[in-house]
Structures are given as C-alpha cells and as structure tokens.
Amino acid sequence: MAAERELSVENLSEDHWLVLDRPIPADADPQLLTAARDAAVVCQLELQLERPSSPDLKKIDSLLTDIRKRLGEPEPEPKPLDPEMKATLDELEKKWRAQPDKPRDRGRSR
C-alpha cells in the first residue's frame, strides 16, 4: 500500500494532481523533482484558469518554492504590474481598509 503513495515520474505524468497529496522524498533524484515541478506548474495553471482556490494556490506555491530550492534554481523575478492593474488593486485596498468590521488577521491564517 505504501508504494502506491510514493511519487514517481510515471505516475506524475499520468496524474499531475498527485503532487499535492504525496510527499516528495528528501533524497528525491533531480528527475523526480523536475517532474514534480512540472506537475505543480500544470496544477497552478489549471487552478488560475478554471477554478481559483487560494489555499490550493498557496500549497502549490510553497511546493514550487521547495522544489526550486532543492534543484538549486533561482527564485523567479516578480513581474511588474501594469498601471491599470495597480490602480485597481490600490482602489480595492482602500475599500478594504475603509471597512469597519473586517477581520484583522485575514490572509495571515495559513
């Protein structure tokens, strides 16, 4: 039964969502880490395009960060926001801060 829970390059290529539920061994070879990274990227794109879910995206992001560190890859450079998106986000932040009954620790729970 334990063998079914282990990640392999083959089962990640068949079902990339396994990367979220299976631990990556500490001594995983680079081929498995590369396959796990690719699977996590696919999961991230699917969630962003079809059904965004913050907890799942946070889990995928932390998984990708771990894999990048283990592969010795640099952190990706953040992309600058276009001016229209920045204005929209600033406006949403102003509205959020103006709400009198907002939870104080929102977004810090995970």
Side-chain angles (χ1 to χ4, degrees), residues 36-52:
R37 178 194 53 203
D38 295 344
V41 169
V42 173
C43 294
Q44 188 176 47
L45 289 173
E46 284 187 1
L47 281 173
Q48 287 174 340
L49 296 175
E50 296 172 18
R51 45 191 161 91

Side-chain angles (χ1 to χ4, degrees), residues 17 20-21 40 43-44 47 51-63 110:
W17 286 98
L20 290 180
D21 301 323
C43 294
Q44 188 176 47
L47 281 173
R51 45 191 161 91
S53 170
S54 294
D56 289 337
L57 285 174
K58 286 180 185 177
K59 187 173 183 180
I60 292 169
D61 284 342
S62 66
L63 178 68
R110 293 185 191 249

